[in-house]
Amino acid sequence: ATLREQDGLAMSSRNLLLTKEQRNEAPLIYKALMTASQWLTTHTVADTIEKVFLMIDQSKHLRVQYFDIVHPLTLQSVTDKTIVKGMRGCIAVLTEGPRLIDNMEFEYRL
């Protein structure tokens, strides 16, 4: 399991390199992953991925480098036809300093 700060940010020594403004916005990554997990139960994979980009890129200090929803064993991108139990949302977010990464298991849907 990913260890998290109280605000949801994945624990990492990189977090110490964030400016105050970046650190204040960084919990948006966790919020976006949580939203994506919920969205995926009623929306397409493409719409869910777009939602994450829109959520994070509204931030002044964060930019999504990549976000994908992947198979838990192969790490291949899933599609609406290949959704499986245990799939994960994987994200990398750029700041003017450190690159922040996170991942989360997403709920299964048919």
Side-chain angles (χ1 to χ4, degrees):
T2 301
L3 296 176
R4 298 191 177 277
E5 304 285 349
Q6 274 190 321
D7 58 10
L9 181 63
M11 286 188 176
S12 171
S13 59
R14 298 174 187 175
N15 297 349
L16 298 173
L17 302 174
L18 296 170
T19 66
K20 182 178 178 181
E21 294 82 10
Q22 292 166 344
R23 180 60 183 88
N24 288 339
E25 291 181 359
L28 184 57
I29 299 166
Y30 178 70
K31 183 178 178 182
L33 287 172
M34 293 291 291
T35 299
S37 180
Q38 294 167 353
W39 260 63
L40 192 58
T41 62
T42 57
H43 294 78
T44 67
V45 171
D47 286 346
T48 302
I49 290 171
E50 182 179 355
K51 176 72 170 173
V52 168
F53 273 83
L54 290 172
M55 283 184 71
I56 294 178
D57 286 348
Q58 73 180 342
S59 161
K60 187 175 182 181
H61 296 79
L62 307 175
R63 290 292 169 262
V64 177
Q65 181 180 28
Y66 72 82
F67 172 67
D68 203 2
I69 302 169
V70 300
H71 187 283
L73 300 177
T74 66
L75 300 180
Q76 294 295 312
S77 299
V78 299
T79 67
D80 292 323
K81 294 180 180 181
T82 63
I83 285 179
V84 295
K85 186 174 183 176
M87 64 194 156
R88 302 195 74 81
C90 299
I91 192 166
V93 175
L94 301 174
T95 69
E96 291 178 4
R99 178 175 173 257
L100 303 175
I101 58 172
D102 203 345
N103 76 90
M104 174 183 294
E105 184 174 339
F106 281 9
E107 294 184 29
Y108 178 72
R109 72 167 168 93
L110 294 175

